[in-house]
Amino acid sequence: MRHALSRASRVPLGEFTRSRLLVAFDYDGTLAPITDDPANAPMRAGTRDLLAALCQRYPCAVISGRAREDVELLVTGVGLRAVAGNHGAELPGLDAPPESADVGRWRATLAVALAGLDGVRIEDKHLSLSVHYRAAKDKDEARRAIGDAARSLESVRVVGGKDVVNLVPRGARHKGFALDELRRGESCEAALYVGDDETDEDVFKMRRALRLLTIRVGEKQDSDAEFYVETQEEVDALISALLELRPA
């Protein structure tokens, strides 16, 4: 992986900014710091101002694991062209998939299997589940218990994350699909995507098939992303660089 803000990286970054470019971001851990309370996860004021300026120069989107209506509340007024939720399953312009009966059965099974674990919370987003264990006293024990319970479920795709395990229906639309749909909807020839977690790998792995510049928050050698920024705070510097490369 190469640092996205190095002098050498300005060349490919500049090439992309000279094209009709869609710029897309994950939300938690990318545009906003991860918090102990997911219900209270605002962007920093400086990030919001930078993103609003970026939306004036590029078509921009957010593709989040959150339910779409949830993330829309967090980015309202910024000027995004689109917001996709539920790991890409909820897309503007496309009918939402019907609520999966599998998800309801998974929740019932997990509620029983995880009932004795303090600090574990099941978030039902109707099209997927997120099992959070950030508040667990023993995170290793919680992660093992969630994994054991998830292996008993049918038709599930398990995607890990930062103190969370995501359960999505096998074959559901993912973030990579969402990015390509949004890119084509904006008539963009290229896309730039920034994400920080395992669900973002669905986008990163598409970079060889699409004209796509991929940036991960945090260096990780087994990631399919080509570039990285060091920290979530450095996303602000990345947005500033994109603004400099396409002056108003």
Side-chain angles (χ1 to χ4, degrees):
M1 299 179 79
R2 294 180 284 170
H3 190 255
L5 297 175
S6 69
R7 180 172 296 180
S9 297
R10 297 280 287 198
V11 175
L13 200 61
E15 289 174 354
F16 269 78
T17 61
R18 289 191 290 274
S19 61
R20 175 69 178 169
L21 180 67
L22 173 71
V23 181
F25 302 87
D26 179 33
Y27 185 79
D28 295 281
T30 301
L31 286 174
I34 292 176
T35 66
D36 290 337
D37 179 10
N40 182 27
M43 286 182 278
R44 292 183 299 276
T47 305
R48 175 175 284 273
D49 290 344
L50 285 167
L51 183 60
L54 196 73
C55 289
Q56 297 296 315
R57 303 188 200 180
Y58 303 86
C60 294
V62 164
I63 305 174
S64 173
R66 290 175 179 262
R68 187 179 171 209
E69 63 179 5
D70 181 9
V71 76
E72 281 180 331
L73 293 174
L74 294 166
V75 297
T76 185
V78 171
L80 296 166
R81 295 291 182 88
V83 174
N86 255 300
H87 310 288
E90 292 180 296
L91 268 169
L94 292 180
D95 291 337
E99 183 175 340
S100 172
D102 286 333
V103 173
R105 286 192 290 268
W106 298 344
R107 179 179 179 123
T109 298
L110 292 171
V112 173
L114 305 176
L117 286 174
D118 290 334
V120 174
R121 180 175 65 86
I122 302 170
E123 181 186 5
D124 187 348
K125 296 176 286 189
H126 305 297
L127 301 179
S128 68
L129 298 179
S130 291
V131 187
H132 301 271
Y133 58 94
R134 182 173 298 275
K137 291 182 179 178
D138 188 335
K139 292 185 180 181
D140 290 338
E141 178 191 13
R143 183 169 54 248
R144 283 193 299 269
I146 296 165
D148 290 343
R151 279 189 285 275
S152 72
L153 305 176
E154 295 183 356
S155 303
V156 67
R157 180 187 176 206
V158 180
V159 186
K162 294 174 180 174
D163 296 337
V164 64
V165 176
N166 301 291
L167 306 175
V168 299
R170 194 174 296 141
R173 298 191 299 232
H174 55 68
K175 286 186 175 185
F177 173 88
L179 179 78
D180 197 35
E181 284 291 307
L182 296 176
R183 178 192 63 80
R184 291 192 286 119
E186 292 292 335
S187 300
C188 290
E189 59 187 341
L192 183 152
Y193 182 79
V194 191
D196 75 305
D197 217 337
E198 287 189 35
T199 59
D200 300 303
E201 294 293 333
D202 286 325
V203 180
F204 298 156
K205 68 179 61 172
M206 295 176 69
R207 68 183 177 86
R208 294 176 181 85
L210 301 176
R211 188 157 183 244
L212 173 61
L213 195 149
T214 53
I215 303 173
R216 189 182 191 280
V217 179
E219 186 176 11
K220 191 169 183 282
Q221 290 307 317
D222 61 350
S223 173
D224 277 303
E226 186 176 5
F227 297 90
Y228 72 95
V229 291
E230 293 279 1
T231 63
Q232 188 276 321
E233 290 81 1
E234 203 171 47
V235 171
D236 288 8
L238 174 65
I239 296 175
S240 294
L242 292 171
L243 290 168
E244 291 171 9
L245 286 165
R246 185 178 284 186

